[in-house]
Amino acid sequence: QRKMFLSDNGDKSVILLNVSHMSTEELQEFVRELKVTVKGAPMNVEVTGKSVLDVEMVKGLTEGRVRMTVIGLGLVFMALLLVYRNIAKAFIPIFPIVLIIGMSAGIMYFLGIKYTPITATLGALVLGMGTEMTIMMLERYIEERLEGKEKIDAILITVSRIGKATVASGLTTIGGFSVLMASKFVILKDFGLMTVINISLALVSTFIILPTVIILLDKFIISEKSLKEAKAERLRLATEQKY
């Protein structure tokens, strides 16, 4: 028993503290206050143990959420830039997602939902799911413009033709994650709620914010040269079919 608490040469000892169950925030505060208390001790004191490791793990995961999200946005932007070789085309699909990530943080604050190792991944999750919707919308718009449609007509056709599929995809995702809201485990319940909210915001932004951005940046998406070449190709095909 003695060896469990005192080293053989007697220069090191272990003091065990039994604490009642605490929430993550309470445990973080307890560990912080304990470290402050022993800081002025006339000996070298280290606060350690499973509780401290848990606090450090949660701290590392939650505090790194901004960095993870920024890195994710950067990687997606670079991938789109590599594919499109056009800054506007690479920027447009992720712009609504950036707004959603910002709104998500505000919603969590007003709902009193704390960041956990699971909810800290919401930014990356929304980035992956939301970008898929916005890219499909942008691609269809470009196709309609190259077929000779005006900007307003092109966006209306785009929304009407792929809107149903996009909404269906979003609703099935919402339905799947909404099951988590029935969990008695608070962390999972909060994660399910915020995922449902974020995917809903992604759908709204895809059909409201994105079309506006696309129309405003149309001249940066499709050059006059591309439109003229597409028109010439249509005329050539029409002539060949005529004869």
Side-chain angles (χ1 to χ4, degrees):
Q1 290 289 336
R2 182 174 180 275
K3 290 184 177 181
M4 293 178 58
F5 302 98
L6 190 65
S7 63
D8 292 335
N9 55 12
D11 63 345
K12 295 178 182 177
S13 66
V14 176
I15 299 176
L16 298 180
L17 295 179
N18 291 323
V19 297
S20 60
H21 175 73
M22 299 182 184
S23 65
T24 302
E25 293 77 15
E26 291 173 336
L27 189 58
Q28 287 176 330
E29 182 63 20
F30 173 75
V31 171
R32 188 190 67 80
E33 291 181 355
L34 187 59
K35 287 182 177 180
V36 171
T37 301
V38 301
K39 188 175 182 180
M43 62 190 76
N44 184 22
V45 180
E46 293 290 340
V47 180
T48 185
K50 183 178 181 300
S51 297
V52 177
L53 293 176
D54 290 343
V55 167
E56 292 299 323
M57 180 187 69
V58 172
K59 182 180 178 182
L61 289 171
T62 55
E63 288 187 350
R65 67 184 184 278
V66 176
R67 184 174 66 256
M68 288 190 298
T69 303
V70 171
I71 292 174
L73 287 170
L75 290 175
V76 171
F77 178 78
M78 293 303 296
L80 292 175
L81 188 61
L82 184 64
V83 172
Y84 289 125
R85 300 184 184 279
N86 181 300
I87 294 178
K89 289 181 181 179
F91 168 75
I92 289 173
I94 65 174
F95 175 71
I97 309 304
V98 173
L99 297 181
I100 293 171
I101 293 173
M103 288 188 288
S104 175
I107 292 172
M108 288 184 66
Y109 174 79
F110 284 113
L111 293 179
I113 298 176
K114 303 294 183 181
Y115 279 104
T116 66
I118 299 180
T119 54
T121 64
L122 280 172
L125 182 67
V126 175
L127 178 61
M129 293 183 176
T131 306
E132 179 184 2
M133 301 179 189
T134 55
I135 289 175
M136 289 193 297
M137 183 76 74
L138 177 63
E139 279 294 318
R140 186 53 188 259
Y141 174 81
I142 293 173
E143 290 179 8
E144 295 299 332
R145 287 287 282 137
L146 293 177
E147 288 181 4
K149 305 293 192 306
E150 292 298 324
K151 290 186 288 187
I152 299 299
D153 293 334
I155 201 68
L156 290 175
I157 293 173
T158 297
V159 171
S160 64
R161 291 187 178 177
I162 72 168
K164 186 179 293 185
T166 303
V167 171
S169 175
L171 290 179
T172 55
T173 304
I174 290 173
F177 279 101
S178 64
V179 176
L180 297 177
M181 295 168 60
S183 173
K184 294 182 179 180
F185 190 36
V186 177
I187 293 179
L188 279 180
K189 184 177 181 179
D190 290 344
F191 176 70
L193 173 62
M194 288 310 304
T195 303
V196 168
I197 291 174
N198 286 335
I199 299 302
S200 300
L201 289 174
L203 284 173
V204 172
S205 67
T206 299
F207 292 104
I208 296 179
I209 298 175
L210 183 62
T212 304
V213 175
I214 289 176
I215 291 175
L216 290 175
L217 299 180
D218 176 83
K219 64 180 180 180
F220 299 106
I221 301 173
I222 307 172
S223 64
E224 288 295 328
K225 180 181 178 181
S226 298
L227 292 174
K228 290 179 180 179
E229 290 176 351
K231 184 177 181 180
E233 181 65 16
R234 291 197 305 274
L235 290 174
R236 185 185 66 80
L237 292 175
T239 302
E240 289 180 355
Q241 291 176 357
K242 183 176 180 180
Y243 294 101

